Amino acid sequence: MIDLSLSWLPFIIIAVAKFFLSWLYYSPAVPWFKAWQIGIGMDPGKREMSAEDRKAMPRLMGGAALATLLFSYGLQVLIHSVKASDFATGAAMGFTVWLAFVVSHILNTQFKGRKPAVDFIASGANQDR
């Protein structure tokens, strides 16, 4: 039976942690940032945002925030529904979801013609760019 209940504290913690970690994952602070920029066709030497980039930022950040909230709720529904009450069960469920959905999605993005390094980087953050 699907359990659609919501526990607010874990929901907020998961959402904030995922949003922050995703932001960090694609920041210049990580060693793979330049490879990611090259892989998607960006200039690695670019330091300033264009006016068009700045204009798109509220839409991009709003979409990222909404996606994070949806992810947090979906993960909570899944964990509650399978009654994962300890770390081992939760970790096994996380691995299964990753294998079934993230890996299969990344394999299907090969049709976009991107370099494999870009898909590898994107799969680490569970985001498709």
Side-chain angles (χ1 to χ4, degrees):
M1 185 64 140
I2 295 179
D3 182 356
L4 299 173
S5 65
L6 179 66
S7 300
W8 283 99
L9 184 60
F11 173 74
I12 298 298
I13 290 171
I14 291 168
V16 169
K18 183 184 182 317
F19 188 81
F20 176 74
L21 291 173
S22 295
W23 168 78
L24 180 65
Y25 194 85
Y26 284 103
S27 76
V30 294
W32 54 81
F33 185 73
K34 286 188 181 187
W36 175 75
Q37 283 182 309
I38 293 167
I40 64 169
M42 287 178 64
D43 176 14
K46 182 179 175 184
R47 299 284 181 239
E48 296 289 324
M49 289 176 61
S50 68
E52 185 177 312
D53 291 341
R54 280 192 296 278
K55 185 177 178 183
M57 196 55 64
R59 177 184 53 80
L60 294 172
M61 295 306 270
L66 179 61
T68 297
L69 292 171
L70 289 170
F71 173 83
S72 180
Y73 180 67
L75 186 60
Q76 198 171 104
V77 166
L78 182 66
I79 295 299
H80 285 171
S81 295
V82 299
K83 306 213 182 320
S85 58
D86 60 7
F87 179 79
T89 308
M93 193 72 229
F95 178 77
T96 303
V97 169
W98 171 78
L99 186 64
F101 296 103
V102 176
V103 172
S104 64
H105 176 74
I106 291 301
L107 291 172
N108 279 324
T109 63
Q110 295 180 80
F111 296 104
K112 293 181 179 179
R114 297 186 302 196
K115 294 181 181 178
V118 175
D119 287 332
F120 176 75
I121 292 168
S123 70
N126 194 17
Q127 296 179 355
D128 183 28
R129 297 228 178 225

